[in-house]
Amino acid sequence: MPESREPSGRARGNRQALLQAALTCTERWRWPVVPGAVSVERPGEACPAAVHCSCGAEQCPVPAAHPHEVPLLAATTEARMVRWWWQRHSPQAPVLVATGRRVAAVSLPAAAGARLLGYLDAVRVVPGPVLAGPTRWSLLVAPYGYPELAELLAEQERGLLPGGGAGQVPSSVRYHGPGGYLVLPPSRVGLGAGAAGVRWVRRPVVLPSGGVRLPAVGTLLEALVAAGSAVPDGSRLAY
């Protein structure tokens, strides 16, 4: 996978941080990871060189923030594979966790993220890990199946309108279950000078037996739907 050029000292620090994050994810949290696409320069197209997503798509909806050469199904918790990926194969790649097997998530626009956490704290509902990207916040939850999620959403819709009439769950709330993925810190997403970092708002809490404490999606869904109803949906997939 071709990669953008950086000063050697900065590049080494970034690569070490990404490798350590991937190993922490697999060894302590037991989440399967896979490297994502990266920003690349195409010399000769412009001066300075144009920056693109390494997938080659001219209008990539999530540039440098999706699986690239390695299929999502290859996500693993095997430390030797993780070391090979981030030491030799694609050391600048963002760290992607595959959702559905060990962890899942729900996300909403960033404008509603802080408000939602404040509400959950006020009603003493303890969330699990929370990620902040440039445009969206993600609340990590225990794995769920889409049939289970559909039942929970139908229950939410039955009480959305006054008098108990059926409403519609806002499209600004999105679901990261089987077959999905999330970008983890300290990855950066986007292209060139416009790239932005992903950060933890609430870090994972490791259980004594290993793994991470993750709430059930049903315990957060009502608050998520309410928060998502207050903000418009984004025009891009974003992060």
Side-chain angles (χ1 to χ4, degrees):
M1 179 188 299
E3 298 177 352
S4 58
R5 295 173 181 169
E6 295 183 73
S8 59
R10 180 183 175 187
R12 283 194 298 269
N14 288 347
R15 292 172 180 180
Q16 183 59 36
L18 289 166
L19 171 61
Q20 187 55 55
L23 288 172
T24 297
C25 190
T26 57
E27 295 178 336
R28 297 191 64 205
W29 303 342
R30 301 176 181 172
W31 296 348
V33 298
V34 69
V38 299
S39 297
V40 296
E41 293 182 356
R42 294 181 184 171
E45 291 186 356
C47 186
V51 181
H52 301 268
C53 180
S54 59
C55 70
E58 293 296 329
Q59 298 296 324
C60 178
V62 282
H66 62 84
H68 183 52
E69 293 177 351
V70 181
L72 187 59
L73 290 176
T76 184
T77 57
E78 172 55 54
R80 286 184 296 179
M81 190 73 236
V82 169
R83 288 185 183 278
W84 184 83
W85 275 337
W86 273 277
Q87 286 179 336
R88 299 179 59 186
H89 180 266
S90 48
Q92 293 186 28
V95 179
L96 307 186
V97 58
T99 57
R101 286 184 277 168
R102 301 289 183 86
V103 62
V106 284
S107 69
L108 72 169
R115 185 188 320 147
L116 172 62
L117 285 191
Y119 170 77
L120 292 175
D121 290 342
V123 298
R124 298 184 179 180
V125 173
V126 180
V130 180
L131 282 171
T135 65
R136 298 188 68 80
W137 283 30
S138 300
L139 282 74
L140 279 61
V141 297
Y144 55 77
Y146 287 123
E148 171 196 2
L149 181 64
E151 291 182 9
L152 291 169
L153 292 174
E155 181 64 28
Q156 287 294 317
E157 289 185 337
R158 283 193 285 271
L160 281 177
L161 295 183
Q168 185 174 3
V169 171
S171 60
S172 58
V173 179
R174 296 176 188 157
Y175 312 97
H176 310 266
Y181 62 89
L182 291 172
V183 183
L184 297 182
S187 307
R188 296 181 65 80
V189 294
L191 301 176
V198 179
R199 63 185 175 88
W200 290 112
V201 180
R202 302 280 174 90
R203 291 190 61 84
V205 175
V206 180
L207 299 170
S209 58
V212 174
R213 187 189 66 78
L214 296 169
V217 65
T219 64
L220 305 177
L221 200 54
E222 182 177 357
L224 276 158
V225 168
S229 298
V231 295
D233 192 11
S235 59
R236 290 173 58 85
L237 288 176
Y239 317 98

